[in-house]
Amino acid sequence: MAHPQLLIGLMTGTSLDGIDAVLVDLSGAQPALLAAQGTALPASLRHDLLTLQAASPDEIDLAWRAGNSLSDCYADSVAALLEQAGVAAADIVAIGNHGQTIRHRPERGYTIQLGNHARLAERSGITVVGDFRSRDVAAGGQGAPLVPAFHHAIFADAQRHRVIVNIGGIANLTNLPRNGDVSGYDTGPGNVLMDLWIHRHRGERYDAAGAWAASGKVLDDLLARLLTEPYLALAAPKSTGRDLFHADWLDAQLAGRNDAPADVMATLTAYTARTIADAIRTTAPSVDDVFVCGGGAHNPTLLAMLGDALPGVGIASTAALGVDPDWVEAIAFAWLAQRCLAGASGNVPTVTGAAGPRVLGAIWPA
Ligand SMILES: Nc1ncnc2c1ncn2[C@@H]1O[C@H](COP(=O)(O)OP(=O)(O)O)[C@@H](O)[C@H]1O
Ligand SMILES: [Mg+2]
């Protein structure tokens, strides 16, 4: 048996729902998940991270202080994970730490994932690999999505044409045709608009199991209006985030309307499903099976709408492929950290638009 390669992956996504932490053994062809933990962000930190999604006074100080707090939360997650698994810090090769995106502006040549990696290395005593996106952006790429290389490594199949859809705050797809010619991009909103809407009207973080959306009816005229968003028609490579799909965007779409909130909820859910389905039909017309991961995998209303929009296509979660949909992204960043340390490239240039393959990430040694 191969010597274990224990790595930790930390993911804090656009949804700002919390820290996903995984401990994996990456010595084999498929990752072995040894422990996993989801931890909510403290309310005050979440508030600061939301504030930092747009320009605000004294944002540099706020960002660096929030980055420090976030790294302390990461260190707590790492400690809890090690305790859960009964593994010592000294046995961990590295932590792959995505950080929290507060700006994503590849068109201006930068993307910022907050987090004080030095502080995490200091507190955990483990080598940290972070800032995965900047090198791809420096090479002219979008710096996103970065999960397709990992999806390709573990989910590609020679017999079946698969598409992997990660429905986090933003949704991204990875197209895995039988010939191995991987492609992918951010399709548009995942849960971010739905979360915004239910929080505004009901004070809840998300629409549990899509129940509120299921109680409303889809407003076809509003859906048609939302579908005119120019991002959707852009050719790949493309990536997006809260820089585009935020509360002001939604308010502009709803201006002059007075719809029942449940109907808007149904329509926003349909919008996410429709934009993903349209992307799949355009990019992968001969797809056999779609596998969903990310928090959206827990929303049956959304998945039913996706299925309706893709007749004849099998829709399942990545659990059917042996990987829990909640942990795919965090495992991907452990995998990307392993690639970085091995001096191996982590981007797919045809996905991100970078000039070529690049080793992604920077290293803060233990
Ligand atoms: N039980 C559930 N029912 C409906 N939606 C859910 C459920 N659990 C999680 N979600 C959705 O998934 C989101 C989190 O997804 P996640 O993959 O963590 O996104 P990100 O990578 O952006 O953090 C939540 O904000 C919520 O919208
Ligand atoms: Mg999350």
Side-chain angles (χ1 to χ4, degrees), residues 304-339:
M305 288 172 168
L306 187 60
D308 288 347
L310 292 169
V313 178
I315 312 262
S317 108
T318 54
L321 300 176
V323 187
D324 186 318
D326 289 337
W327 309 120
V328 174
E329 237 189 333
I331 299 171
F333 281 91
W335 184 87
L336 283 166
Q338 187 192 41
R339 301 276 301 178

mmCIF file of all heavy atoms in Angstrom, residues 304-339:
data_model
loop_
_atom_site.group_PDB
_atom_site.id
_atom_site.type_symbol
_atom_site.label_atom_id
_atom_site.label_comp_id
_atom_site.label_asym_id
_atom_site.label_seq_id
_atom_site.Cartn_x
_atom_site.Cartn_y
_atom_site.Cartn_z
ATOM 1 N N ALA A 304 -35.369 19.288 -9.371
ATOM 2 C CA ALA A 304 -36.502 18.891 -10.216
ATOM 3 C C ALA A 304 -36.622 19.830 -11.416
ATOM 4 O O ALA A 304 -36.871 19.391 -12.548
ATOM 5 C CB ALA A 304 -37.795 18.900 -9.402
ATOM 6 N N MET A 305 -36.423 21.133 -11.178
ATOM 7 C CA MET A 305 -36.477 22.093 -12.286
ATOM 8 C C MET A 305 -35.345 21.835 -13.281
ATOM 9 O O MET A 305 -35.531 21.946 -14.492
ATOM 10 C CB MET A 305 -36.386 23.525 -11.749
ATOM 11 C CG MET A 305 -37.644 23.992 -11.020
ATOM 12 S SD MET A 305 -37.334 25.604 -10.242
ATOM 13 C CE MET A 305 -39.019 26.080 -9.778
ATOM 14 N N LEU A 306 -34.186 21.472 -12.757
ATOM 15 C CA LEU A 306 -33.044 21.163 -13.626
ATOM 16 C C LEU A 306 -33.363 19.930 -14.471
ATOM 17 O O LEU A 306 -33.115 19.908 -15.684
ATOM 18 C CB LEU A 306 -31.802 20.933 -12.753
ATOM 19 C CG LEU A 306 -30.461 20.754 -13.440
ATOM 20 C CD1 LEU A 306 -30.094 21.979 -14.265
ATOM 21 C CD2 LEU A 306 -29.361 20.486 -12.407
ATOM 22 N N GLY A 307 -33.947 18.928 -13.842
ATOM 23 C CA GLY A 307 -34.326 17.702 -14.554
ATOM 24 C C GLY A 307 -35.356 17.994 -15.642
ATOM 25 O O GLY A 307 -35.252 17.482 -16.755
ATOM 26 N N ASP A 308 -36.347 18.847 -15.318
ATOM 27 C CA ASP A 308 -37.384 19.195 -16.300
ATOM 28 C C ASP A 308 -36.781 19.890 -17.512
ATOM 29 O O ASP A 308 -37.259 19.728 -18.642
ATOM 30 C CB ASP A 308 -38.435 20.119 -15.669
ATOM 31 C CG ASP A 308 -39.334 19.366 -14.681
ATOM 32 O OD1 ASP A 308 -39.290 18.124 -14.691
ATOM 33 O OD2 ASP A 308 -40.051 20.037 -13.913
ATOM 34 N N ALA A 309 -35.741 20.686 -17.260
ATOM 35 C CA ALA A 309 -35.126 21.450 -18.347
ATOM 36 C C ALA A 309 -34.160 20.602 -19.173
ATOM 37 O O ALA A 309 -33.692 21.028 -20.226
ATOM 38 C CB ALA A 309 -34.402 22.669 -17.772
ATOM 39 N N LEU A 310 -33.868 19.380 -18.693
ATOM 40 C CA LEU A 310 -32.920 18.507 -19.400
ATOM 41 C C LEU A 310 -33.536 17.119 -19.582
ATOM 42 O O LEU A 310 -33.062 16.134 -19.020
ATOM 43 C CB LEU A 310 -31.612 18.394 -18.604
ATOM 44 C CG LEU A 310 -30.749 19.643 -18.497
ATOM 45 C CD1 LEU A 310 -29.645 19.447 -17.457
ATOM 46 C CD2 LEU A 310 -30.125 20.006 -19.844
ATOM 47 N N PRO A 311 -34.591 17.024 -20.381
ATOM 48 C CA PRO A 311 -35.248 15.727 -20.524
ATOM 49 C C PRO A 311 -34.284 14.666 -21.074
ATOM 50 O O PRO A 311 -33.466 14.965 -21.938
ATOM 51 C CB PRO A 311 -36.388 16.018 -21.522
ATOM 52 C CG PRO A 311 -36.128 17.363 -22.101
ATOM 53 C CD PRO A 311 -35.206 18.091 -21.177
ATOM 54 N N GLY A 312 -34.393 13.483 -20.510
ATOM 55 C CA GLY A 312 -33.560 12.381 -21.016
ATOM 56 C C GLY A 312 -32.169 12.320 -20.414
ATOM 57 O O GLY A 312 -31.394 11.421 -20.722
ATOM 58 N N VAL A 313 -31.845 13.286 -19.560
ATOM 59 C CA VAL A 313 -30.515 13.298 -18.945
ATOM 60 C C VAL A 313 -30.656 12.850 -17.489
ATOM 61 O O VAL A 313 -31.552 13.301 -16.783
ATOM 62 C CB VAL A 313 -29.903 14.724 -18.995
ATOM 63 C CG1 VAL A 313 -28.540 14.744 -18.315
ATOM 64 C CG2 VAL A 313 -29.806 15.211 -20.437
ATOM 65 N N GLY A 314 -29.791 11.946 -17.056
ATOM 66 C CA GLY A 314 -29.812 11.506 -15.657
ATOM 67 C C GLY A 314 -29.247 12.591 -14.758
ATOM 68 O O GLY A 314 -28.215 13.174 -15.057
ATOM 69 N N ILE A 315 -29.953 12.880 -13.661
ATOM 70 C CA ILE A 315 -29.469 13.886 -12.697
ATOM 71 C C ILE A 315 -29.293 13.191 -11.345
ATOM 72 O O ILE A 315 -30.248 12.609 -10.823
ATOM 73 C CB ILE A 315 -30.475 15.044 -12.508
ATOM 74 C CG1 ILE A 315 -30.971 15.588 -13.845
ATOM 75 C CG2 ILE A 315 -29.884 16.136 -11.599
ATOM 76 C CD1 ILE A 315 -30.305 16.802 -14.371
ATOM 77 N N ALA A 316 -28.091 13.253 -10.803
ATOM 78 C CA ALA A 316 -27.827 12.649 -9.487
ATOM 79 C C ALA A 316 -26.817 13.514 -8.763
ATOM 80 O O ALA A 316 -26.260 14.449 -9.351
ATOM 81 C CB ALA A 316 -27.287 11.231 -9.673
ATOM 82 N N SER A 317 -26.578 13.217 -7.506
ATOM 83 C CA SER A 317 -25.524 13.936 -6.803
ATOM 84 C C SER A 317 -24.225 13.145 -6.957
ATOM 85 O O SER A 317 -24.233 11.966 -7.317
ATOM 86 C CB SER A 317 -25.902 14.148 -5.334
ATOM 87 O OG SER A 317 -25.132 13.340 -4.487
ATOM 88 N N THR A 318 -23.111 13.802 -6.673
ATOM 89 C CA THR A 318 -21.817 13.119 -6.802
ATOM 90 C C THR A 318 -21.686 11.963 -5.812
ATOM 91 O O THR A 318 -20.759 11.162 -5.936
ATOM 92 C CB THR A 318 -20.644 14.093 -6.584
ATOM 93 O OG1 THR A 318 -20.815 14.758 -5.321
ATOM 94 C CG2 THR A 318 -20.547 15.117 -7.707
ATOM 95 N N ALA A 319 -22.620 11.883 -4.852
ATOM 96 C CA ALA A 319 -22.609 10.726 -3.946
ATOM 97 C C ALA A 319 -22.693 9.441 -4.765
ATOM 98 O O ALA A 319 -22.118 8.413 -4.387
ATOM 99 C CB ALA A 319 -23.770 10.817 -2.956
ATOM 100 N N ALA A 320 -23.384 9.494 -5.906
ATOM 101 C CA ALA A 320 -23.508 8.320 -6.778
ATOM 102 C C ALA A 320 -22.147 7.908 -7.344
ATOM 103 O O ALA A 320 -21.968 6.774 -7.788
ATOM 104 C CB ALA A 320 -24.491 8.610 -7.906
ATOM 105 N N LEU A 321 -21.195 8.854 -7.329
ATOM 106 C CA LEU A 321 -19.837 8.549 -7.798
ATOM 107 C C LEU A 321 -18.888 8.337 -6.614
ATOM 108 O O LEU A 321 -17.669 8.294 -6.774
ATOM 109 C CB LEU A 321 -19.308 9.682 -8.686
ATOM 110 C CG LEU A 321 -20.119 9.972 -9.956
ATOM 111 C CD1 LEU A 321 -19.535 11.177 -10.692
ATOM 112 C CD2 LEU A 321 -20.120 8.746 -10.875
ATOM 113 N N GLY A 322 -19.468 8.267 -5.421
ATOM 114 C CA GLY A 322 -18.660 7.956 -4.243
ATOM 115 C C GLY A 322 -18.071 9.162 -3.523
ATOM 116 O O GLY A 322 -17.257 9.000 -2.615
ATOM 117 N N VAL A 323 -18.464 10.377 -3.911
ATOM 118 C CA VAL A 323 -17.946 11.556 -3.210
ATOM 119 C C VAL A 323 -19.120 12.398 -2.712
ATOM 120 O O VAL A 323 -19.944 12.868 -3.509
ATOM 121 C CB VAL A 323 -17.018 12.408 -4.110
ATOM 122 C CG1 VAL A 323 -16.371 13.523 -3.286
ATOM 123 C CG2 VAL A 323 -15.950 11.547 -4.762
ATOM 124 N N ASP A 324 -19.186 12.585 -1.409
ATOM 125 C CA ASP A 324 -20.245 13.377 -0.784
ATOM 126 C C ASP A 324 -20.268 14.785 -1.403
ATOM 127 O O ASP A 324 -19.237 15.457 -1.430
ATOM 128 C CB ASP A 324 -19.947 13.450 0.727
ATOM 129 C CG ASP A 324 -21.054 14.124 1.518
ATOM 130 O OD1 ASP A 324 -21.590 15.145 1.044
ATOM 131 O OD2 ASP A 324 -21.365 13.638 2.617
ATOM 132 N N PRO A 325 -21.438 15.229 -1.896
ATOM 133 C CA PRO A 325 -21.506 16.524 -2.597
ATOM 134 C C PRO A 325 -21.096 17.716 -1.730
ATOM 135 O O PRO A 325 -20.684 18.749 -2.251
ATOM 136 C CB PRO A 325 -22.977 16.633 -3.007
ATOM 137 C CG PRO A 325 -23.722 15.682 -2.131
ATOM 138 C CD PRO A 325 -22.752 14.571 -1.833
ATOM 139 N N ASP A 326 -21.180 17.566 -0.414
ATOM 140 C CA ASP A 326 -20.827 18.679 0.477
ATOM 141 C C ASP A 326 -19.320 18.933 0.547
ATOM 142 O O ASP A 326 -18.893 20.011 0.955
ATOM 143 C CB ASP A 326 -21.329 18.415 1.900
ATOM 144 C CG ASP A 326 -22.848 18.526 1.996
ATOM 145 O OD1 ASP A 326 -23.441 19.200 1.136
ATOM 146 O OD2 ASP A 326 -23.420 17.928 2.928
ATOM 147 N N TRP A 327 -18.526 17.939 0.166
ATOM 148 C CA TRP A 327 -17.081 18.069 0.420
ATOM 149 C C TRP A 327 -16.243 18.117 -0.851
ATOM 150 O O TRP A 327 -15.019 18.192 -0.789
ATOM 151 C CB TRP A 327 -16.601 16.931 1.331
ATOM 152 C CG TRP A 327 -17.420 16.780 2.572
ATOM 153 C CD1 TRP A 327 -18.123 15.676 2.959
ATOM 154 C CD2 TRP A 327 -17.663 17.762 3.593
ATOM 155 N NE1 TRP A 327 -18.770 15.914 4.143
ATOM 156 C CE2 TRP A 327 -18.514 17.185 4.558
ATOM 157 C CE3 TRP A 327 -17.249 19.094 3.776
ATOM 158 C CZ2 TRP A 327 -18.950 17.879 5.687
ATOM 159 C CZ3 TRP A 327 -17.695 19.779 4.906
ATOM 160 C CH2 TRP A 327 -18.525 19.174 5.841
ATOM 161 N N VAL A 328 -16.865 18.071 -2.000
ATOM 162 C CA VAL A 328 -16.097 18.005 -3.262
ATOM 163 C C VAL A 328 -15.129 19.183 -3.390
ATOM 164 O O VAL A 328 -13.947 19.015 -3.699
ATOM 165 C CB VAL A 328 -17.042 17.958 -4.487
ATOM 166 C CG1 VAL A 328 -16.250 18.042 -5.787
ATOM 167 C CG2 VAL A 328 -17.883 16.681 -4.467
ATOM 168 N N GLU A 329 -15.643 20.390 -3.117
ATOM 169 C CA GLU A 329 -14.790 21.561 -3.336
ATOM 170 C C GLU A 329 -13.624 21.612 -2.350
ATOM 171 O O GLU A 329 -12.501 21.948 -2.723
ATOM 172 C CB GLU A 329 -15.628 22.837 -3.242
ATOM 173 C CG GLU A 329 -15.520 23.663 -4.502
ATOM 174 C CD GLU A 329 -16.154 25.032 -4.354
ATOM 175 O OE1 GLU A 329 -17.073 25.192 -3.533
ATOM 176 O OE2 GLU A 329 -15.708 25.943 -5.080
ATOM 177 N N ALA A 330 -13.886 21.313 -1.084
ATOM 178 C CA ALA A 330 -12.793 21.331 -0.095
ATOM 179 C C ALA A 330 -11.750 20.264 -0.449
ATOM 180 O O ALA A 330 -10.546 20.503 -0.337
ATOM 181 C CB ALA A 330 -13.345 21.109 1.312
ATOM 182 N N ILE A 331 -12.214 19.094 -0.897
ATOM 183 C CA ILE A 331 -11.258 18.051 -1.313
ATOM 184 C C ILE A 331 -10.439 18.553 -2.502
ATOM 185 O O ILE A 331 -9.234 18.315 -2.597
ATOM 186 C CB ILE A 331 -11.980 16.731 -1.676
ATOM 187 C CG1 ILE A 331 -12.746 16.169 -0.470
ATOM 188 C CG2 ILE A 331 -10.984 15.689 -2.169
ATOM 189 C CD1 ILE A 331 -13.661 14.973 -0.800
ATOM 190 N N ALA A 332 -11.104 19.292 -3.397
ATOM 191 C CA ALA A 332 -10.395 19.819 -4.576
ATOM 192 C C ALA A 332 -9.240 20.735 -4.169
ATOM 193 O O ALA A 332 -8.169 20.702 -4.789
ATOM 194 C CB ALA A 332 -11.361 20.571 -5.483
ATOM 195 N N PHE A 333 -9.424 21.519 -3.100
ATOM 196 C CA PHE A 333 -8.338 22.425 -2.714
ATOM 197 C C PHE A 333 -7.227 21.690 -1.964
ATOM 198 O O PHE A 333 -6.060 22.113 -2.025
ATOM 199 C CB PHE A 333 -8.886 23.673 -2.004
ATOM 200 C CG PHE A 333 -9.421 24.635 -3.040
ATOM 201 C CD1 PHE A 333 -10.755 24.582 -3.437
ATOM 202 C CD2 PHE A 333 -8.572 25.495 -3.714
ATOM 203 C CE1 PHE A 333 -11.234 25.403 -4.453
ATOM 204 C CE2 PHE A 333 -9.035 26.323 -4.722
ATOM 205 C CZ PHE A 333 -10.371 26.281 -5.098
ATOM 206 N N ALA A 334 -7.537 20.582 -1.307
ATOM 207 C CA ALA A 334 -6.469 19.724 -0.772
ATOM 208 C C ALA A 334 -5.667 19.146 -1.941
ATOM 209 O O ALA A 334 -4.431 19.115 -1.931
ATOM 210 C CB ALA A 334 -7.074 18.607 0.074
ATOM 211 N N TRP A 335 -6.379 18.721 -2.968
ATOM 212 C CA TRP A 335 -5.750 18.141 -4.160
ATOM 213 C C TRP A 335 -4.873 19.184 -4.884
ATOM 214 O O TRP A 335 -3.752 18.894 -5.307
ATOM 215 C CB TRP A 335 -6.861 17.623 -5.078
ATOM 216 C CG TRP A 335 -6.434 16.915 -6.319
ATOM 217 C CD1 TRP A 335 -6.142 15.579 -6.439
ATOM 218 C CD2 TRP A 335 -6.298 17.473 -7.631
ATOM 219 N NE1 TRP A 335 -5.832 15.284 -7.751
ATOM 220 C CE2 TRP A 335 -5.914 16.426 -8.500
ATOM 221 C CE3 TRP A 335 -6.455 18.750 -8.154
ATOM 222 C CZ2 TRP A 335 -5.690 16.626 -9.860
ATOM 223 C CZ3 TRP A 335 -6.236 18.956 -9.512
ATOM 224 C CH2 TRP A 335 -5.855 17.901 -10.351
ATOM 225 N N LEU A 336 -5.395 20.410 -4.979
ATOM 226 C CA LEU A 336 -4.621 21.473 -5.639
ATOM 227 C C LEU A 336 -3.359 21.808 -4.840
ATOM 228 O O LEU A 336 -2.316 22.131 -5.421
ATOM 229 C CB LEU A 336 -5.492 22.723 -5.837
ATOM 230 C CG LEU A 336 -6.494 22.622 -6.999
ATOM 231 C CD1 LEU A 336 -7.532 23.748 -6.917
ATOM 232 C CD2 LEU A 336 -5.775 22.668 -8.354
ATOM 233 N N ALA A 337 -3.456 21.726 -3.497
ATOM 234 C CA ALA A 337 -2.269 21.961 -2.664
ATOM 235 C C ALA A 337 -1.218 20.885 -2.928
ATOM 236 O O ALA A 337 -0.023 21.170 -3.044
ATOM 237 C CB ALA A 337 -2.654 21.973 -1.187
ATOM 238 N N GLN A 338 -1.688 19.639 -3.043
ATOM 239 C CA GLN A 338 -0.767 18.539 -3.349
ATOM 240 C C GLN A 338 -0.089 18.767 -4.706
ATOM 241 O O GLN A 338 1.117 18.566 -4.849
ATOM 242 C CB GLN A 338 -1.528 17.210 -3.351
ATOM 243 C CG GLN A 338 -0.632 15.993 -3.495
ATOM 244 C CD GLN A 338 -1.424 14.715 -3.781
ATOM 245 O OE1 GLN A 338 -2.388 14.725 -4.559
ATOM 246 N NE2 GLN A 338 -1.035 13.628 -3.149
ATOM 247 N N ARG A 339 -0.869 19.224 -5.678
ATOM 248 C CA ARG A 339 -0.295 19.524 -6.999
ATOM 249 C C ARG A 339 0.769 20.614 -6.896
ATOM 250 O O ARG A 339 1.834 20.513 -7.510
ATOM 251 C CB ARG A 339 -1.386 20.011 -7.975
ATOM 252 C CG ARG A 339 -2.522 19.055 -8.209
ATOM 253 C CD ARG A 339 -2.249 18.028 -9.257
ATOM 254 N NE ARG A 339 -1.933 18.557 -10.568
ATOM 255 C CZ ARG A 339 -1.619 17.780 -11.613
ATOM 256 N NH1 ARG A 339 -1.590 16.460 -11.472
ATOM 257 N NH2 ARG A 339 -1.336 18.313 -12.775
#
